Amino acid sequence: MPTAKKKDYSAQARIIKAMGHPTRLLILNSLKKRETCVCELRDLVGDDISTVSKHLLVLKKAGLVAVRREGNWLHYRLTCPCVLDFARCLERVLT
Amino acid sequence: MPTAKKKDYSAQARIIKAMGHPTRLLILNSLKKRETCVCELRDLVGDDISTVSKHLLVLKKAGLVAVRREGNWLHYRLTCPCVLDFARCLERVLT
DNA sequence: CATCTATTTTGCCATATCGCCAAATAGATG
DNA sequence: CATCTATTTGGCGATATGGCAAAATAGATG
């Protein structure tokens, strides 16, 4: 790595930034188990559904989740479950 | 995990949020090699030194870096190098 | 096509973040 | 103590974020 620039990290930063919100972490961890429709996530999160929808958009734009329609329901799923392995290291930071 | 709440993820989110900026990722990756003084990080980053100092404060408050004084210089170091292993998974998200 | 349901989009406001500059601070040194 | 050097802190404007409520949309269904 000769001269790494800020620009080189902006792509990574975008993904990490998308993860850096309690609600979005809650959603990601919930999706680890199985894909879930928005209304179920709304119940889990407890915020207005438009707020949940916006959080899902952030995660989708970051490439962290993907969607599948089934009738009226949109089912979101994790694209890369490995992103949650990270939590184990964070526990160490927290101590 | 019976009923995980937003609150349970706020501590993790704080740390992740601190990592979610290109400059701060650049700094963390630089510190992976060795501890470094602020003026050297300023040259690496290229922003005003007060800006770099504020980024370091964010990382310090998150528990990601620690400081050691040596004469006039403050040397910053990574507390938990494992946080950067994460990058490998992010590459997968990016494709 | 009219309508129903799940979800997204838009608008708005309050608050947080980023970057620069100027001023303050903490140790080292004359 | 005066001063120098490295760094932090405060202040400011521009921009981004998070949340709600209302309006718009997309597909299913009568």
Side-chain angles (χ1 to χ4, degrees), chain A residues 9-21 24 62 64 86, chain B residues 13 15-21 25 83 86-87 90:
Chain A
Y9 289 105
S10 60
Q12 282 189 25
R14 255 194 305 277
I15 302 172
I16 296 176
K17 197 174 175 188
M19 294 179 66
H21 188 284
R24 295 196 289 265
L64 289 163
F86 193 35
Chain B
I15 302 172
I16 295 176
K17 197 174 175 187
M19 294 179 66
H21 188 284
L25 279 183
V83 295
F86 192 35
L90 294 183

Side-chain angles (χ1 to χ4, degrees), chain A residues 33-56:
Chain A
K33 284 168 271 174
R34 55 181 171 72
E35 64 171 19
T36 313
C37 74
V38 181
C39 54
E40 201 172 335
L41 291 171
R42 177 208 50 206
D43 294 342
L44 174 73
V45 168
D47 287 345
D48 189 277
I49 194 169
S50 68
T51 301
V52 175
S53 179
K54 279 184 183 174
H55 282 307
L56 287 168

Side-chain angles (χ1 to χ4, degrees), chain B residues 19-90:
Chain B
M19 294 179 66
H21 188 284
T23 297
R24 295 196 287 267
L25 279 183
L26 174 58
I27 289 172
L28 290 174
N29 277 280
S30 171
L31 294 183
K32 183 166 59 172
K33 285 168 272 176
R34 56 180 170 73
E35 65 171 19
T36 311
C37 73
V38 181
C39 53
E40 200 173 338
L41 291 171
R42 177 207 51 206
D43 294 342
L44 174 73
V45 168
D47 288 344
D48 190 277
I49 194 168
S50 70
T51 300
V52 174
S53 178
K54 280 182 184 173
H55 281 307
L56 287 167
L57 180 63
V58 171
L59 293 172
K60 193 167 62 180
K61 284 207 283 193
L64 290 163
V65 303
V67 205
R68 181 179 65 86
R69 178 178 281 272
E70 196 174 302
N72 271 331
W73 289 266
L74 293 180
H75 295 263
Y76 281 82
R77 65 175 181 281
L78 265 190
T79 54
C80 296
C82 63
V83 295
L84 295 173
D85 300 342
F86 192 35
R88 234 169 299 153
C89 174
L90 294 183

